[in-house]
Amino acid sequence: MLNSFSVLDTPPVPVCAFLTDDAGAIINYAAEGAACGLGSALVTLVEIRGGAARALGAQMAVHGDGSYCGYISGGCTEAAVAAEAIAAISKGTDRYLSLGGGSRFFDISLPCGGGITLAIHVVRDVRPLRQVLAALEGRRRIALHYAPGTQTITAVKAPAGAISSWSDTAFIRVYRPNLRLILCGRGIELEATTRVAMASEFEVFAFDQTSRDFEASIIDQETAVALLFHDLDQELPWLEAGLRRKPFYIGALGSKRTHERRFQALSVMGYSPAQIDRIKAPIGLFGPTRDANALALSVVAEVAQAYSVSQN
């Protein structure tokens, strides 16, 4: 049963339960609120007019008691959005909310100067949300089909290359598994890059030259492979594992001269120029670096950039 309050009651005060941009955590929070009887709403950014702090498809989850998580802007409007979602939960009816340019709320403006439209869906059936969570756990892409006319959501297979957008009269919100980063290397470079990647909340697997438990099957289309060896012979088995799979990114440490030797070695092993060109070398967004911390930031930044581009 949905949470409700009478006209004589004071509506719950919106309060942020925890800070997250993680799609799985937001979906799980929406499912928990509905399942435990508090009532919940899933808020989705479905239109952007001008600039915006979040991409189309950004989401919040709001419980009937006022607690919420997620972002649909830069943090300046979330409490107001949660208040609207609480009202929607109380009435048991979906609604649209417009903020910024073109909005009826004159006292709520977006710092970017643009405008956004949000779809507030009152969760009545948690099964589609559970299906999304199961797919993400199994590292499969999936989407939620939101039909405003019937106020329903349905879990559907995400077509290859699909992005969150409108399709006819429904909004399709696409979900991808979390970015997985496989780091192979040694010494301080491996240690520093592992630390920075974990702080960025990537799913990190780190292997050194002594590792014997690596399984190439963990490399999927949501995976980046970064090689941080200073020895071409040591990196070749890991390079082969990456080239045989379909990660969205492969990067390798070393100079342009080192990459020429790498190219020759892989050519002798039967790899085509097109396959070898998948390798980003020298690795990193910032160009040459001379210390482990700078290298770590450079690698993690480049992986994040490549992952963002691969979503489009």
Side-chain angles (χ1 to χ4, degrees):
M1 178 178 296
L2 295 178
N3 182 58
S4 63
F5 50 87
S6 74
V7 294
L8 298 178
D9 293 332
T10 301
V13 176
V15 58
C16 181
F18 58 95
L19 303 175
T20 186
D21 256 339
D22 182 78
I26 294 166
I27 289 292
N28 186 62
Y29 197 69
E32 285 181 343
C36 73
L38 281 174
S40 74
L42 186 63
V43 183
T44 306
L45 174 56
V46 297
E47 182 190 24
I48 296 173
R49 302 179 298 278
R54 290 291 187 278
L56 205 65
Q59 292 184 311
M60 290 175 58
V62 184
H63 286 184
D65 65 359
S67 59
Y68 66 88
C69 69
Y71 289 91
I72 45 76
S73 71
C76 52
T77 64
E78 277 67 15
V81 172
E84 288 287 321
I86 293 166
I89 293 168
S90 176
K91 293 182 180 296
T93 304
D94 293 7
R95 61 177 62 183
Y96 281 115
L97 177 63
S98 180
L99 298 176
S103 171
R104 62 187 173 88
F105 294 100
F106 295 104
D107 58 338
I108 299 178
S109 61
L110 303 181
C112 58
I116 58 176
T117 299
L118 309 170
I120 301 176
H121 170 66
V122 178
V123 178
R124 303 168 185 84
D125 183 0
V126 300
R127 288 175 295 179
L129 303 182
R130 298 299 187 199
Q131 288 176 282
V132 170
L133 292 171
L136 294 179
E137 180 67 23
R139 296 194 62 77
R140 301 187 307 275
R141 296 188 185 190
I142 193 168
L144 278 180
H145 176 283
Y146 173 58
T150 57
Q151 300 190 14
T152 58
I153 54 173
T154 308
V156 297
K157 183 178 180 180
I163 60 173
S164 298
S165 61
W166 283 96
S167 176
D168 296 325
T169 59
F171 188 81
I172 309 298
R173 204 305 187 175
V174 178
Y175 300 88
R176 298 174 68 185
N178 287 338
L179 189 162
R180 174 177 286 173
L181 176 58
I182 297 176
L183 296 170
C184 311
R186 62 185 182 187
I188 191 171
E189 289 91 351
L190 178 61
E191 179 183 334
T193 308
T194 299
R195 183 173 62 251
V196 172
M198 292 183 69
S200 300
E201 297 190 350
F202 294 176
E203 182 179 336
V204 182
F205 292 83
F207 302 93
D208 62 21
Q209 66 270 30
T210 66
S211 298
R212 296 290 182 267
D213 57 348
F214 172 74
E215 293 288 343
S217 60
I218 67 175
I219 301 175
D220 58 24
Q221 63 181 342
E222 317 293 346
T223 299
V225 178
L227 306 176
L228 305 175
F229 291 105
H230 290 275
D231 187 319
L232 185 58
D233 291 334
Q234 286 189 334
E235 75 174 23
L236 281 176
W238 306 93
L239 265 180
E240 284 198 275
L243 290 172
R244 286 195 298 264
R245 312 288 292 188
K246 297 294 183 182
F248 71 86
Y249 171 91
I250 305 174
L253 188 64
S255 65
K256 291 182 179 180
R257 183 175 299 178
T258 298
H259 189 56
E260 290 173 359
R261 292 175 48 232
R262 183 182 293 121
F263 192 101
Q264 293 171 357
L266 290 170
S267 296
V268 170
M269 296 168 68
Y271 291 95
S272 69
Q275 289 175 304
I276 302 172
D277 283 345
R278 292 173 54 201
I279 303 168
K280 172 62 169 62
I283 198 171
L285 190 64
F286 308 154
T289 57
R290 294 292 182 265
D291 68 84
N293 288 328
L295 174 67
L297 290 170
S298 184
V299 170
V300 170
E302 184 168 69
V303 168
Q305 181 189 57
Y307 185 71
S308 178
V309 170
S310 72
Q311 297 186 73
N312 301 323

